[in-house]
Amino acid sequence: MRKPIILLIFLLYIGSGLATAANPRFYIATSWNNKAATAYFPHFEVEFANAVKKEFPCVNTISDSNILTLLEHEKQKQLLGAGDYEEISNIGQAMGCDYLVSLKVQVLGTKALITAFCADTRRSKVISRSMANVVDGSAGMKAMEMVSKELVEGLKKFEICPFTGPINVVVKTERNDKKTDSYAVYCNGIDGLYKLDVTTKKTSNADWKLKKTSRNRVDGSVTYNLQEETITEDHNDCYTCPSGRQGSRLSKETVLKTAKVEGLSNESVDDNQQIEDARAEITFLDNGTYTLKVEAASRKGDLKLRTEKRAEGTCDNQSPPPKSIDKKADVPLEEVTFGPFPGTSLDKVLSQKDTYSTVDPLTKEKSIVTFDFNLKRN
């Protein structure tokens, strides 16, 4: 057995080499109970490498018997026995890989027990498993093929080779609302009327031009424009003046809200660098379909409020100059899921486009959402 310092140098060398690779990386780690079990490892490594490369051409695989010591310390029992996901993540990250494939072979008399799993080191989660209990020898070697295929089959529900490309989402909103309240009033020996009208007209347009650049990361931009006008008219035939006198009075208030926002926020951090606040996630379902979940946030833009007031009648006549207020505002693309659509992680292209509308049950605001995406597998 090599000395620990030599092994450490070797691990750092392999890990640094893997870390520079652009494609998803699988590292195959092995464990055994006696020397006879080690005969299975070369066959598994070849079978798994060929199977995963066939289905996911973008991946790289690596393994080396010198790394076996890494899995032989005390925590290895927890990792392979009880499923210590934190240890899985630590080993995978130490090797600079995205996925850790763990193979354990135990030869007990004439029997060979084979257990294997594949873990996503970034999420510290096992995503595929396989097991075989066969007669040691040729049957065991053949079982290695089955175990390899089952492991790869389990990966088909995950975005192993990233899909990249444009995702465009346009959200247009429109609201035309008028609320009226009225009731009879009486003053000065005459029947009168109180009436309140509130009219709101709103239009907005958010044009999200995004680009999926890796499995979850998204770059891009957004342009958002808003115009909203609210007019409040108050007509009271029995308005009470400060003197106590009552009479007719009409008041009107107009509030105009406009906003313009451009660009994505970049407050998130990845690899010690600020990145744009946009995410896209593809989920592959068991029935041969997938969904695309998208969310993003804009940077802060300009929001302007202009208020005009006017009142005339028995008293309290007003006609002040318009009042303007400048603020900052942002706009989110709240988490939206498109699909499900037919497709699997083995497809070379995932492409869809559609338009649909929604109505807010409270505000009655109507939104028209148009989306299109054309994602190609790396």
Side-chain angles (χ1 to χ4, degrees):
M1 188 66 65
R2 295 188 177 187
K3 294 182 179 180
I5 187 63
I6 298 177
L7 177 60
L8 177 60
I9 294 174
F10 180 80
L11 290 176
L12 293 175
Y13 170 76
I14 294 294
S16 62
L18 284 170
T20 60
N23 294 337
R25 303 167 299 276
F26 283 78
Y27 177 73
I28 302 173
T30 51
S31 180
W32 69 98
N33 68 329
N34 57 43
K35 189 175 181 180
T38 61
Y40 288 88
F41 299 155
H43 188 54
F44 174 82
E45 291 169 4
V46 172
E47 288 295 327
F48 179 80
N50 289 340
V52 75
K53 193 75 173 178
K54 178 181 177 182
E55 301 294 356
F56 304 101
C58 70
V59 307
N60 292 323
T61 60
I62 187 169
S63 62
D64 195 293
S65 58
N66 289 307
I67 312 302
L68 296 175
T69 305
L70 186 63
L71 300 177
E72 287 304 305
H73 52 71
E74 289 185 14
K75 292 183 180 179
Q76 167 60 14
K77 294 180 181 179
Q78 297 178 356
L79 173 62
L80 295 179
D84 190 327
Y85 296 155
E86 182 178 355
E87 286 301 310
I88 294 172
S89 179
N90 291 341
I91 293 174
Q93 291 174 5
M95 296 309 302
C97 70
D98 303 285
Y99 302 95
L100 173 68
V101 178
S102 176
L103 172 69
K104 184 177 183 180
V105 179
Q106 294 176 292
V107 176
L108 304 170
T110 61
K111 293 289 187 177
L113 176 61
I114 305 165
T115 57
F117 65 76
C118 179
D120 184 333
T121 62
R122 291 159 295 189
R123 295 187 295 166
S124 299
K125 180 179 180 181
V126 173
I127 59 177
S128 183
R129 291 182 182 273
S130 183
M131 177 184 292
N133 191 355
V134 296
V135 176
D136 185 26
S138 60
M141 291 297 178
K142 190 169 183 179
M144 282 297 178
E145 300 177 16
M146 181 271 292
V147 170
S148 298
K149 290 180 180 179
E150 285 189 352
L151 278 183
V152 174
E153 185 69 24
L155 300 178
K156 293 181 180 180
K157 293 189 295 183
F158 300 90
E159 189 183 355
I160 304 298
C161 292
F163 285 84
T164 60
I167 302 173
N168 299 310
V169 182
V170 177
V171 182
K172 295 182 178 181
T173 65
E174 183 179 276
R175 179 183 174 190
N176 290 300
D177 183 41
K178 185 174 183 178
K179 296 179 180 179
T180 298
D181 183 25
S182 64
Y183 52 85
V185 294
Y186 179 82
C187 64
N188 303 322
I190 303 174
D191 290 329
L193 180 70
Y194 172 83
K195 185 177 181 182
L196 176 67
D197 291 327
V198 180
T199 303
T200 302
K201 294 183 179 180
K202 174 186 175 182
T203 59
S204 71
N205 185 84
D207 189 356
W208 302 86
K209 294 186 180 300
L210 308 175
K211 185 176 182 181
K212 189 171 182 291
T213 57
S214 65
R215 190 167 67 167
N216 297 115
R217 185 169 171 176
V218 173
D219 297 330
S221 64
V222 60
T223 300
Y224 174 76
N225 290 283
L226 164 72
Q227 180 162 315
E228 180 177 349
E229 184 181 58
T230 301
I231 300 175
T232 303
E233 293 181 292
D234 186 313
H235 183 194
N236 190 350
D237 286 336
C238 290
Y239 178 81
T240 302
C241 299
S243 64
R245 182 164 57 92
Q246 292 181 305
S248 179
R249 183 176 184 268
L250 174 65
S251 66
K252 180 178 180 181
E253 180 184 74
T254 301
V255 179
L256 179 62
K257 180 191 298 184
T258 59
K260 184 175 182 62
V261 179
E262 293 184 335
L264 295 180
S265 169
N266 64 340
E267 296 181 4
S268 298
V269 177
D270 184 30
D271 290 335
N272 296 320
Q273 292 184 341
Q274 286 187 303
I275 61 173
E276 293 177 326
D277 294 326
R279 302 290 180 271
E281 180 181 351
I282 302 173
T283 300
F284 294 99
L285 308 176
D286 293 334
N287 60 357
T289 64
Y290 70 93
T291 60
L292 174 63
K293 181 172 67 178
V294 182
E295 58 182 328
S298 75
R299 65 181 57 167
K300 291 187 179 298
D302 295 324
L303 173 67
K304 298 182 181 295
L305 289 173
R306 179 183 170 87
T307 303
E308 295 184 17
K309 294 182 178 181
R310 181 169 57 86
E312 57 184 17
T314 301
C315 60
D316 289 346
N317 293 333
Q318 299 177 13
S319 186
K323 182 178 180 181
S324 296
I325 300 176
D326 292 337
K327 295 183 177 182
K328 292 294 183 180
D330 53 18
V331 58
L333 175 59
E334 296 181 352
E335 183 179 297
V336 58
T337 300
F338 303 120
F341 307 111
T344 72
S345 65
L346 303 183
D347 290 339
K348 293 183 179 180
V349 178
L350 301 177
S351 181
Q352 293 288 335
K353 61 180 179 179
D354 198 4
T355 298
Y356 64 90
S357 61
T358 61
V359 177
D360 189 302
L362 296 178
T363 65
K364 306 303 180 183
E365 181 173 287
K366 181 180 180 180
S367 297
I368 299 176
V369 181
T370 301
F371 69 89
D372 68 85
F373 59 86
N374 187 40
L375 306 176
K376 296 181 180 179
R377 194 178 77 165
N378 292 349

